[in-house]
Amino acid sequence: MENLGQIAMQNINMAAIMPSVVLSCFGMLLLLVSVFSKRGRTTHVAWMSIVALVVTAAVTVSSWNNPQEGFAGSVVLDNFAIFFSMIFIIAALLTILISDGYLRREGYPVGEYYPLILFCTAGAMWMASGTDLMTIFLGLEVLSVSLYVLAGFFRGDVRSNEAGLKYFFLGAFSTGFLLYGVALLYGVTGSTKIAAIAQHVSEMPAVIDNPMMIAGSVLLLIGFLFKVGAVPFHMWTPDVYQGAPTPVTAFMSAGPKAAALAALLRVAIIGLGSIQADISALFWLLAVLTMIAGNFIALSQTNIKRMLAYSSIAHAGYALVGIVAWNQIGLSAILFYMLVYTFMNIGAFAVLVLAGKKGEENLTLEGFAGFGYKRPFLGVAMCIFLFALMGLPPTAGFAGKFFVFAGAVKAGYIWLAVIGVLNSAVSLYYYLRVIVYMYFRDPKEDFAWVKLEIPAVVSILLAIVGVLALGIVPGPVMELAKLAGF
Amino acid sequence: MADYLLSLITFFPLMGMMILLFIPRDNEGLLKSFALGVTLVTFLISLPLAFDDVFAVSGGMQYREFHEWISIGSFFKMNYNIGIDGISLWLVMLTTFIMPIATLSTWKAVDKNVKGFMALLLLLETAMLGAFVSLDLFLFYIFWELMLIPMYFMIGIWGGKNRIYAAVKFFIFTAVGSLLMLVAIIYIYYYAASTGAPMEGFGVQEFYRLGIPSAAQHWLFLAFAFSFAIKVPMFPLHTWLPDAHTEAPTAGSVILAAILLKMGTYGYVRFAIPLFPEALQTYLPLLAFLSVFGIIYGSLVAMMQDDVKKLVAYSSVAHLGFVMLGIFALNMQGMAGGIIQMINHGVSTGALFLIVGFIYERRHTRQISEFGGLAHKMPIFATIFLIITFSSIGLPGTNGFVGEFLALVGAFESELRWYAVVATTGVIFAAVYMLWMFQRVMFGKVTNPENEKLKDLSVREIVIMLPLLLFVFWIGIYPNTFLSKMNPAIEQLLNQVKSKQVAVVEPVQPVIAQTLELK
Amino acid sequence: MITVYHYLILSAIIFSIGTFGVLTRKNAIVIFMCIELMLNSVNLTFIALSRHLQNMDGQIFVFFIMTVAAAEAAVGLALMIAFYRNRESIDSDDFNMLKW
Amino acid sequence: MYDYLWLIPFFPLVGFVINGLLGKKIRNEAIIGGIATLMIFLSFLVACGNFFTLLKDSEKVHQQVIASWMSIGNLQIDWGFLLDPLSALMIMVVTGVGTLIHLYSIGYMHGETGFYRFFAYLNLFCFSMLMLVLGNNALVMFVGWEGVGLCSYLLIGYYFDKKSAGDAAKKAFVVNRIGDFGFICGLLTLFWALGSKGVWTVNFVEIAENAHLLESGGVVVTVVTLAFFLGATGKSAQIPLFTWLPDAMEGPTPVSALIHAATMVTAGVYMIGRLNGLFAMAPDTMMTIAIVGAATALFAASIGLAQNDIKRVLAYSTVSQLGYMFMAMGVGAFSAGIFHLMTHAFFKACLFLGSGSVIHGMHHAYHKAHLHDDPQDMRNMGGLRKKMPITFITFLVSTIAISGLPFFSGFFSKDEILWWAFAGERGHWMLWLVGAIAAGMTAFYMFRLVFMTFFGEQKTDPRAKDHIPESGLTITLPLMVLGTLAAIGGFWGVPHVLGGIFGHMPNYLENFLAPVFEHTQVLNGIEIKPEMAHSKALEFGMMGVSVGIALVGILGAWFMYIKNPELPGRFVASFTGLWRAVYNKWYIDELYDAVFVNNCKRIGTFLWKGFDVRIVDGIVNGTAWVVKGVGSGLRYTQSGFLHNYAMAMVVGVVVIVGYYIFG
Amino acid sequence: MLSILFYLFATVAVFSAFYVTKSRSPVNSALWLVTTFICLAALYIMLDAPFMAAIQIMVYAGAIMVLIIFVIMLLNLGTAVKKRYTHALVWGGAMSVLMLFVTNFLIRRGVPTGKLGDVTTQTIQSYGHTELIGKAMFTDFLLPFEIASILLLVAIVGAVILSKREV
């Protein structure tokens, strides 16, 4: 008992959680800063959070190829975690860049917004780097709770309230299932550590026929699928995405989705590799349903924000295809895809952020009529992002889809790939419709309210660079994604 | 220099586009001249290709460039692998040749957002050239899809009344097909990788040598064929074409007809046929049937059109039927005929669209009934129109004849004899619909007072048409210029196909065909 | 003899009742309470299994679940208050601005 | 001289290019017409040179290759020319008659707008026709074949502001295209059929040499020749594709003379002659040709009986005469057919030019009197012999020639055909009978024409009556030349039987053409039936009969139009239905419209509006609609109610977990 | 004896849990929920987890429930006026029964095969439950503990932001 401290100290390996620690510390610092800031002044908080993210990025990257394990095997900062962490950081960075002006426009210049994003990012990092279900769960909760708050951030706006509440209730509900799954898995394997679960299964192969094991695994995965937004656990997505403040939606659609996928991948591939066949079969179906639901419903949307929400469901479907493939290409492809998706989706939302009036009642297709002529830069940017979302070369969206489907084809899931590409064909329609309104319709409005704020423009430019660079030379990043695979 | 000639040609328009973006948008004259300059220079630097005699000697790929592009360990290798042979040579030349003409045709026609149009035009040129020179399936696919974007905007922004429907239809039709092809492309790659065959990424030449198992070939072929059939377009996947053509601005229609449609036929020649020779055997009768049906169909429907542009669009369906029939004959004449016919169609139908554009610019209508008696008012126009009409009909001495004839010779020599007989009726229908249209537009008295004041062609318009007329007669009278350089390439291609078609299963022929068979 | 199964079944029953409540109640606070019920049933499962497996991990997990429950309660109730201020209701049927 | 063979088509081409490009600038009719006429005249001179060289040469086949045209795989096609007696004869006719008609046109077309255009087209036509005739392979022939079709189109549509002219031009081209379809099919089948025997060729000489590789009388040969024959029916206006020719009279009269009488329409006959080796191997085809020819001869003649338009009568007469030629080809009387082709070129060109002269005069008169009556309607003519004596005489001579009165050119050629039809191995007395009846009809309607036009009293509107002049020298000179040829041209091919009468005059023409046809005839046993071959009495008898029939026709015409001018009216009144049917060309055009044209239009409309728009686009849009519908249906699952969302999750969980537990 | 106690608490727990869902008034629901919590705490004691029982009472019954009741009072929520949907009731009931069926089945068939640890009743009694928890918490589960602190921070900040009246 007396050497308790010593044991604890031995276990600790701060390097393994350095990025999240840095981020959390900055978060706390920023909380203080915002407390002592003049009300309504948040820009400096935004810039500081950007500094925080940049520092974190540097810290994160420095561990590349140098996996750090720590805290008694409850966390590991391996390439996988680093890759995903970078995705979160990029997502957060792009989001913060577009947030400041937006918050002021909508009348909520609250400094706490930024620390919440940072905490959320930190939570995502724990999800990606957690090797213990407990860590992952707590990371998930940090992420979720901050997102509940962020989604309902516009407390005077009913729709934001509603988004927050829906997200909260359904999130908590799904947490129940996730936890029940963890409990069952714990019962079967005696541990909540992913490695231990895997080891237990390999020692007792018979356990894979144990209903508890299967039910536990499935419930656990369902918990993550909820966050990913896969059918039939996707129902919250459109409502929440629509109601939440747009930058939050942008962030939510990229960062947390990637985090959930990260956790899902680590749990599934490392912990539950033994029931791969079952998981692949399940995910095959879910991927198909997700793609179909997302794409088909998006067709009839007139609110662009909501349409992008459905499209994000569809994209989750594409990502799941990579898991079905269950091979190295599929895995790397998911990593790559999430990165690409971060760029293109946040980019698209960034354009929406700039194009919206206060209250964002104008983010409909009709409201976008002639936008491309009046705001050429944003129009072109939106086109690039939409083409990327469609998956057209030479944007990164194409490369991402290509890799994902390549994984599926290599694993022999040709029909899945076919369904996938047909779904992308369906998706063309609603993405094109935005372009139709932007360019093929005569402008009704002058879009005079659209101000090209520098940070948001920087964000859009970064996204464009990301989308095009990853599209034209996907090689290096894909190589990194490959190294990040298990 | 010669080592990078193809790249230079391909990316020169893109570089031009980059520079064009810095030209102020108000300076429309400069924008147009600049775009024209870029396309002209592209044409000029592509000229050495046409004069290179190596194509007359060797059927292999020339001007090869090979750079590793994307290489992800054991996953993929995509290479920047380009080159041309005698077949793609002419399509490249056609592209570089048509583009300045198309650019010139926009002088009066495009008045809004000139900068955007010119930028898209140049982007499109790069995409098309890229698709023709790619020897890597992945690279090809990228250019193939890239083509959609500029064309989509061209139709959608500068198009006619119904442009949105047409643009979206065009886009989705084409994309659906190509997406399936993408799956097939990936499959081939992994199949190749699994056999351990030596391969250079998605290099199509390496894939040629691959013996893909029959069962897989079938669906792979279908995926490719479907994609290309949409682009060609073959009956019954053609319905996007009339809409797209009708709505597109003149330059768009010209490019669409002259070059973009060739992507489909070229795709068959370069990819679908040599990659899957066995599957081809199975589907040959079906495809031949569709080609022939397309000829008749396109002609009959064209006959009844009251919109000049739509008529020309449907005539494209018929013309491309000949191309496809020639290609499916799988012999020297047929293939050569198909390829010549591709060029012909580019020249003649491109010219027809220009012609329609000329009168559209003057009268802002394309309804045949609005016209009549134009020959009085516009004699030069009438003459050029007449020549192009007869070229389209396939009068000997013009280009149309050489292509159709060779395609038919090939088809008669092959098992597709009976299809060819039916296809030959196409020559009748072509005369019917073209001449009827010509008569209604040009002959008779000027009944519509609005036509009284029509001006004859301007110098610019004549300059646009002259090169096309030159090729109408050049190909018609001395096609050997072209044939001699595609000969070795076709021969090599056919050997490639024939060597893989080991167990030749005779397609079932009608009884009468067997009786005709010589003992 | 009371075995671990008894506890597990009990927790399953409570879990199902919690689900039932979530699915049928309209008052947001009650729904939230039903979710708490579900979490509690999970806690029971954990502790029962922890006891059965003679290992403390499960109980630690429960500890964190409680923490999470508290955190969620705080945020959730704050959200409800905010909503109530705008709509004068926390009836889940009134969460109907966002649909389709 | 052979080296200059290529110059023959080249000169007219030069003329075409000069007039086509510069004509509008030149403006001076004399220069334009002069250039055009000079060019074709130069051709004529070169043709003469080549003709006489060939006459003296013992080697009767000469080829000249200019350049390779298409060369791919085993298909080698050259731009090459072939001079043999057949083509030599043809170029003489084409350039000779062509020159005369060019000359004639200078006068006839005086003052027309687009004068240069006319001459350019005329030159282009001559070029194409010469390509057709001289081509050493089927493809070059086809160039000419289509080229003459094009020129025919352009020239018929010369007065393009008249709708009827446009229609006629289009009809001519399209109907010709139907024939071309046959030509191409025949050509390609032949290419393949010979190719599969190891000889890949389209060269006429090689085809002739290798025709024996094909099974004589076999399916292939029959199909090939039938297809070629279809081509010939189109160009030469035979049943069933004759309908375009009468309409083609919309063109200026010299065009009718040159293209639709003397040269182009005989291309089909020429083509059969050119491919005689093949045709002879297909007795079935030959029989078909003979029957079709005979039927056309009769049928067209019957229509000719009732026409009132002077040019239409001649048009149907042309169709009828072409039927004769085909009958000749069909029964294997190749040289007789070619002979008739030549004599027909003389007299029919003369007739057309004569009618043109009449029309010109009438037109002039109406113009002076400011009337807009139809200058071509014979009912408004009459008694013109005094006004236009030269025209009258030449016209009469040609009419006698076409009617087959002894010792005029038509007599020799027609009788030879009838003799072969009757006595040839491949002949039949029925063919002869039909031919003879047609000859009688021909005599009748031709003299009817002459009587109505030149005899009797002048029925022209009194105001215009006195303004009818005799035409100028450029018009009458060609008439005189052609009239002379029509009269004496037959002596070049006097039958053996009659040869004795003229001092053992040999059949020059037959001997001249022998290198082309004799081999075939010998090889395929095409000759006069042995039992009749030596019966001079029979031959004379037949000749007598046909002359008799012709005389009956002439007398009938005289009786009806000179003696009893009211008779035709009464006849019409009592046989209204029949007359109307004949007058309306047996309603063939209407039949074709109903069966082919309208159905094609209907199918076209259906395919467009029904199939394309409804079915294909229906499927496409339907798919889109369904997808969208499914989307908007699914959309309502997103009800916005928390319960439903939670329920979906629970259902998902239960189903998935249940499946894995129980499944 | 233990069995009787188990069944007693279990029955009360299930009964009160059911009444949480059934009561019209949210306050009643809250009170029934507290009852359930207490029963569960009792069961925890029977499972040799007295520390968990204690914090169950303190955290749940003490903190969370107070918060809930506070909010109920604050919002002055009375008895539900509207009835529950019958179809929601039917479907919800059906799904819950199905779920119960599934979970029941999997628990009956499933075997908690996890490796047995060394924390027996004796260990617990000799070291004390709290100490064991604490030891685990501060060695193996140090990181989750720290994360939990961040979580609470986030929750606090969030609650403050959300319930502030104005900006």
Side-chain angles (χ1 to χ4, degrees), chain D residues 375-404:
Chain D
Q376 304 192 9
D377 195 326
M378 296 192 293
R379 285 168 299 191
N380 298 335
M381 301 176 187
L384 288 179
R385 67 182 187 281
K386 288 168 199 145
K387 307 258 177 196
M388 323 178 88
I390 303 176
T391 307
F392 166 63
I393 291 168
T394 50
F395 203 94
L396 185 67
V397 168
S398 300
T399 308
I400 294 171
I402 196 175
S403 304

Side-chain angles (χ1 to χ4, degrees), chain A residues 356-369:
Chain A
K357 287 181 187 171
K358 187 170 183 342
E360 301 198 325
E361 296 297 339
N362 64 330
L363 291 186
T364 58
L365 287 172
E366 286 296 339
F368 257 61

Side-chain angles (χ1 to χ4, degrees), chain B residues 247-294:
Chain B
E247 300 303 331
T250 303
S253 299
V254 171
I255 296 170
L256 190 61
I259 312 166
L260 241 61
L261 302 191
K262 306 305 166 318
M263 289 293 160
T265 45
Y266 173 76
Y268 273 103
V269 176
R270 174 72 71 227
F271 303 108
I273 290 175
L275 281 175
F276 318 109
E278 289 173 51
L280 175 68
Q281 281 176 303
T282 313
Y283 296 106
L284 196 58
L286 174 70
L287 289 169
F289 171 77
L290 290 179
S291 313
V292 170
F293 198 88

Side-chain angles (χ1 to χ4, degrees), chain C residues 24-26 91 93, chain E residues 24 80-86 88:
Chain C
T24 52
R25 291 308 299 252
K26 293 197 297 184
D91 196 312
D93 283 358
Chain E
R24 284 278 185 87
V81 187
K82 283 178 256 177
K83 294 193 102 178
R84 284 175 290 198
Y85 303 116
T86 35

